Amino acid sequence: EIVLTQSPATVSLSPGERVTLSCRASQSISNWLAWYQQKPGQAPRLLIYDASNRATGIPARFSGSGSGTDFTLTISSLEPEDFAVYYCQQRSDWYTFGQGTKLEIK
Amino acid sequence: QITLKESGPTLVKPTQALTLTCTFSGFSLSTSGVGVGWVRQPPGKALEWLAVIYWDDDTRYSPSLKSRLTITKGTSRNQVVLTMSNMDPVDTATYYCTRIAATKSSDPFDVWGQGTMLTVSS
């Protein structure tokens, strides 16, 4: 089973700052990685697919990169609505999610 | 507009079976590259993928829950049904239905239902 490890678990920042979230796979997954944002009481929302492609309607401040085992999600300048929990997800012969990174307001 | 909506009981007793229905609109599960899956989230915890059914009737299950899960297309063309046997209090969670875009390399879950909260308790 491929395990996804996200870091950090929690990060505290202010609006306007830049943040990079990490997702590491226990073995190579090519570019088979997606990122989701989840706000309290809401369903997750797809942000990035195939490691670096923004989903429809996702602002350009969100970007994804990486391949193989190491992936990052970068938000270039945080907006108040970006404070949420972020999950990565991979697909190999089945699907798994990381444990999530909580992005909180400092 | 693509929508998915979960329906089912809000409370089940331990050892009972659970049946959840996903009713969707705006797409067809007969279209090549489309799947419908289920993901759950215990309170305060991470997302956990459960099962998926694809346009070609192929199904996949989480290895840890495979013996308890069955996913099928519903009698109505716009429904998918998930059954889970032998429910336990640890199965208490919000259950989400999602569309899977299997035409993309990472099979992203690109549209989600609002989720349905289930409690398992006697």
Side-chain angles (χ1 to χ4, degrees), chain A residues 4-67:
Chain A
L4 296 178
T5 302
Q6 293 187 241
S7 62
T10 303
V11 57
S12 302
L13 293 169
S14 301
E17 292 195 90
R18 178 187 180 93
V19 65
T20 297
L21 309 182
S22 174
C23 177
R24 176 164 290 178
S26 58
Q27 62 190 79
S28 179
I29 56 170
S30 184
N31 71 334
W32 301 339
L33 189 98
W35 289 93
Y36 302 84
Q37 176 193 67
Q38 187 179 33
K39 298 179 181 180
Q42 296 185 15
R45 176 175 70 146
L46 176 66
L47 298 175
I48 302 287
Y49 66 91
D50 298 355
S52 61
N53 294 298
R54 275 190 301 277
T56 302
I58 301 303
R61 64 180 181 273
F62 291 90
S63 63
S65 65
S67 66

Side-chain angles (χ1 to χ4, degrees), chain A residues 1 94, chain B residues 40 48-49 61-69:
Chain A
E1 175 185 347
W94 60 84
Chain B
R40 72 178 179 180
E48 178 184 21
W49 170 71
Y61 297 97
S62 168
S64 62
L65 294 167
K66 185 174 183 177
S67 64
R68 299 174 53 206
L69 294 172

Side-chain angles (χ1 to χ4, degrees), chain A residues 36 38 43 49-50 91 95, chain B residues 41 54 104-107 109 113:
Chain A
Y36 302 84
Q38 187 179 33
Y49 66 91
D50 298 355
R91 71 99 173 156
Y95 305 102
Chain B
Q41 186 173 38
Y54 298 100
K104 298 180 171 57
S105 298
S106 54
D107 288 7
F109 300 171

